Amino acid sequence: MTVWREPVSTELQGVLACLREFLDSLEQPVTIVDQQGVFVYYNRYSAAIDGVDAAQVLGQPLACPSLTADTSTLMRCLTQGQRFIHCHQRYETPLGQVIDYLHTALPLYGASGQIIGAIEVGRDLSHYRSLTNQVLDLSARLLEAGSQRQQGDAIITADPQMQQQLGHLDACAGADVPVLIYGETGTGKELFARRVHQRSKRAERAWITLNCAAIPDTLLESTLFGTTRGAFTGAETRKGLFALADGGSLFLDELNSMPIELQGKLLRVLQDGRFSPLGSGREQQVNVRIIAAMNTPPWEEIRAGRLREDLFYRLNVGFIRVPPLRERRSDITVLAAHFIRMHAADIRPDIQGISEQALQALQQHPWPGNVRMLENVIQRSLLLAPSGQPWLEKLHFLDESDVVRTSVSPVATSEIAQAADHSSQASSTPSLAAPAAPLGAPSPASLPVQLAALERELIQQAMVTSAGHIGAAAELLGIPRTTLQSKLRKLGL
C-alpha cells in the first residue's frame, strides 16, 4: 500500500495532490522528499526493494548506509539542482542487501523558482545481475569441463550470391581477422559466425556468444570485462566473457545496441588485446577473436551515432553481408525441403514432401522474417496438416503481409492463393479471421482502421507471449526487431 505524509510546503502539498493518483498507479518504486530531505511519499515497491515498512519511512530524513550527500542523487537534486536521467546506482539497503538500481531523479521547483523537493522513479536491476552472474558461472563450468556442444557449420544454399559470400567468409575464417556480419533478422547471422569459428585455428577453443541487446547497458561492461572484489558494494571477483573466451572466439550479436562509450573499450581490446575488469587498475591480456553482427546497415548506425566509425573500420576487415531470403529465391525450395526433412520425423512422419502448388506459394511470399520465418511456417504447416496425406499441401502463414492479403482478397482467385491459405475463410488461425457483424449492426470500420486494430492486437499478443522481450516478440511476428520497436513507439505500447 502506498503511503504519504503531508509536507510542510503548501506548494509541495499541491504537487502531491495532483500527482498522487498517477504515482500510485505506477508499478515501480517512487519516492519524494521535501526540501529538507524528509520522505513525504514512499510507495510499496520502494518498501519491497529496501525491505522496510513504508509507514515507518515517512517523516524520516533521507539516509542510506552506503550513500553520502555526494553520492545520493536525491540529495544532489535538493542541494545542487542536478537532474539524473536513467542513472545507474548501487546501494546497500538497511538489511544489508546490495541493489542495482536504474532511476531518474529530478528536483521539484516552486513558483518562485526555489527547490521544494525531489522525486525519484526507479527500477531494480538486481535480478538482471543475478541472471548474468549465473550465465557467466555456467559458461565457465562448461568451458572447464570441455562440454560445449559443437554444431555443424553447414549452410544450405543454392544461390550464387550466398555461395560467393560463403567463399569470402571461409577466407576470413582462416586469416584470423575480426569479422562483421550484416543481415536482416532471421537470415542466419549466427550460423555464419559459428562457421568462422569452426573453420579457424581456434575451433577447439572457447566459443561464446552474447546478444548485446539482451543485457541492460549498466551491466554490459561487467559482463564483458568482469569485476574485482570491492569494485562496488557487494562486488566479487568474477571473470567476464573476454577472460572466458581467451584463446577462442567471442560473438557479439546486435553490436549497435552496445553503449557508445563501451564501444571505445571494445576498440581497445581489438587493438592490443588489453582490458581492465571493473574496479581494477590492473590490465589483463587476452587473445580473443571478435565476430560481431548487426541487423541494420552499419553506415546508417554510424550516421545515427549508435556505432563508432573507428570501431566499424576496425571490424570490417572481414565484412560479410547475408542476403535476405527475398533476394535469393532459389534457396526457398532447397530450404523448405530441408526443414521438412528436419521436422517431419518429430511432427508428421507420414509427410514426405511438399506439393508444387505450395512451393509456388512459398516462392511468391515476401518473407519479411527471412529463413527463420520460413522454418516457422513449415513447422506450423506440418502441425496443422490433415492426417493421411503424404504431401504438405496447405501452408499456414502468420505475418503482416498475410493479414493485408486476407483482408483485401477474401476469396481466393488462384490455386496458389488456395495453397497458401490466404483466404480468411480457410485460415487456420482464428485470431486473424474477422467475426461476422450481427444483423442491424453499423457498417464495419474502414479497411485501414481494421488493419490497424488487428496489428495492435497481434503485437500485444506477441509481447505477452514473449514476456515483454522485444527480440522474441519480433521473431514470433516475423518482422525485424527495429520494426517492432518503431511500431511499439507508434502505438504507445
Side-chain angles (χ1 to χ4, degrees):
M1 177 179 179
T2 300
V3 291
W4 69 307
R5 170 182 177 272
E6 196 77 18
V8 175
S9 168
T10 56
E11 285 186 296
L12 191 54
Q13 290 178 22
V15 170
L16 282 175
C18 291
L19 294 180
R20 184 182 176 190
E21 184 176 357
F22 167 72
L23 296 177
D24 287 348
S25 69
L26 296 180
E27 296 185 355
Q28 57 193 108
V30 181
T31 57
I32 298 178
V33 294
D34 64 15
Q35 65 269 38
Q36 303 301 321
V38 173
F39 284 104
V40 295
Y41 182 94
Y42 188 85
N43 68 1
R44 58 191 176 94
Y45 296 99
S46 295
I49 290 176
D50 292 340
V52 297
D53 184 350
Q56 294 178 351
V57 172
L58 291 177
Q60 298 298 316
L62 183 60
C64 180
S66 59
L67 296 177
T68 66
D70 293 329
T71 58
S72 167
T73 51
L74 268 178
M75 287 303 297
R76 289 165 68 182
C77 286
L78 290 174
T79 59
Q80 303 171 29
Q82 289 185 265
R83 299 162 55 88
F84 300 89
I85 308 297
H86 300 311
C87 177
H88 179 232
Q89 191 174 59
R90 293 184 181 93
Y91 71 93
E92 186 176 342
T93 70
L95 299 180
Q97 182 181 359
V98 177
I99 300 296
D100 270 290
Y101 200 58
L102 186 70
H103 66 281
T104 292
L106 302 170
L108 298 173
Y109 292 91
S112 62
Q114 297 295 316
I115 295 176
I116 59 174
I119 183 171
E120 180 178 279
V121 181
R123 182 167 53 137
D124 182 10
L125 297 179
S126 300
H127 62 292
Y128 287 106
R129 178 168 296 281
S130 175
L131 290 173
T132 300
N133 288 340
Q134 290 178 41
V135 170
L136 290 173
D137 289 342
L138 178 59
S139 297
R141 287 197 293 270
L142 287 173
L143 289 170
E144 291 169 2
S147 60
Q148 282 190 306
R149 184 165 59 108
Q150 296 296 317
Q151 300 179 359
D153 64 357
I155 294 176
I156 298 172
T157 181
D159 180 74
Q161 184 183 184
M162 276 284 285
Q163 291 171 349
Q164 182 185 48
Q165 290 297 308
L166 287 176
H168 295 164
L169 189 77
D170 292 343
C172 293
D176 204 36
V177 296
V179 175
L180 178 61
I181 302 169
Y182 158 60
E184 295 178 6
T185 298
T187 51
K189 296 185 291 296
E190 185 167 351
L191 287 177
F192 274 64
R194 186 178 291 276
R195 180 172 174 133
V196 172
H197 174 72
Q198 294 189 348
R199 297 201 173 193
S200 73
K201 298 175 182 179
R202 302 171 182 263
E204 301 302 320
R205 304 300 297 272
W207 162 254
I208 294 180
T209 69
L210 174 68
N211 187 317
C212 297
I215 296 181
D217 294 350
T218 52
L219 304 183
L220 193 53
E221 181 177 359
S222 59
T223 301
L224 286 171
F225 302 118
T227 56
T228 302
R229 184 180 181 87
F232 51 85
T233 305
E236 297 292 336
T237 299
R238 192 181 300 273
K239 288 184 177 181
L241 294 183
F242 270 105
L244 294 175
D246 192 15
S249 304
L250 176 59
F251 174 51
L252 300 176
D253 199 6
E254 297 197 54
L255 178 69
N256 49 307
S257 297
M258 180 182 290
I260 199 75
E261 61 275 9
L262 193 53
Q263 292 180 26
K265 297 185 177 182
L266 175 61
L267 181 63
R268 169 83 189 283
V269 183
L270 280 166
Q271 289 171 340
D272 57 22
R274 292 183 173 275
F275 71 92
S276 296
L278 196 64
S280 171
R282 299 181 61 183
E283 290 188 333
Q284 294 185 15
Q285 181 81 42
V286 291
N287 178 14
V288 176
R289 182 183 198 167
I290 301 297
I291 307 169
M294 299 172 55
N295 56 15
T296 52
W299 39 93
E300 291 185 5
E301 295 299 301
I302 291 172
R303 284 196 293 267
R306 292 187 292 266
L307 178 67
R308 286 180 59 129
E309 189 171 5
D310 50 1
L311 177 60
F312 168 68
Y313 288 119
R314 186 75 186 187
L315 286 169
N316 79 346
V317 176
F319 180 75
I320 303 295
R321 176 182 178 267
V322 186
L325 192 55
R326 63 182 176 275
E327 292 182 10
R328 44 187 175 109
R329 295 281 171 180
S330 59
D331 276 349
I332 293 175
T333 300
V334 177
L335 289 168
H338 169 71
F339 291 138
I340 289 174
R341 287 194 301 270
M342 180 188 297
H343 298 296
D346 295 328
I347 301 175
R348 286 294 309 278
D350 52 326
I351 296 289
Q352 302 172 14
I354 185 170
S355 72
E356 183 63 30
Q357 293 167 323
L359 276 178
Q360 291 180 47
L362 291 178
Q363 287 288 344
Q364 297 229 345
H365 200 73
W367 299 113
N370 293 294
V371 179
R372 185 183 294 126
M373 180 183 178
L374 173 60
E375 183 177 8
N376 290 344
V377 167
I378 295 297
Q379 286 183 280
R380 187 182 303 115
S381 301
L382 287 170
L383 284 167
L384 300 176
S387 59
Q389 69 176 37
W391 303 98
L392 191 60
E393 297 178 356
K394 181 181 291 187
L395 301 174
H396 298 270
F397 296 88
L398 182 61
D399 70 281
E400 185 176 358
S401 61
D402 287 299
V403 173
V404 174
R405 293 181 184 184
T406 299
S407 302
V408 174
S409 304
V411 178
T413 57
S414 68
E415 292 181 357
I416 292 177
Q418 292 172 5
D421 196 24
H422 287 158
S423 165
S424 62
Q425 182 178 0
S427 173
S428 64
T429 310
S431 63
L432 294 181
L439 292 176
S443 59
S446 66
L447 179 61
V449 173
Q450 293 184 62
L451 291 178
L454 184 55
E455 178 185 57
R456 184 184 185 92
E457 179 183 349
L458 290 173
I459 289 175
Q460 287 177 320
Q461 289 176 357
M463 290 299 290
V464 171
T465 302
S466 64
H469 190 282
I470 294 179
E475 289 186 21
L476 290 173
L477 294 168
I479 61 176
R481 185 177 188 274
T482 51
T483 300
L484 178 56
Q485 288 176 315
S486 176
K487 291 180 180 294
L488 288 170
R489 287 193 295 267
K490 181 179 178 182
L491 295 172
L493 297 177

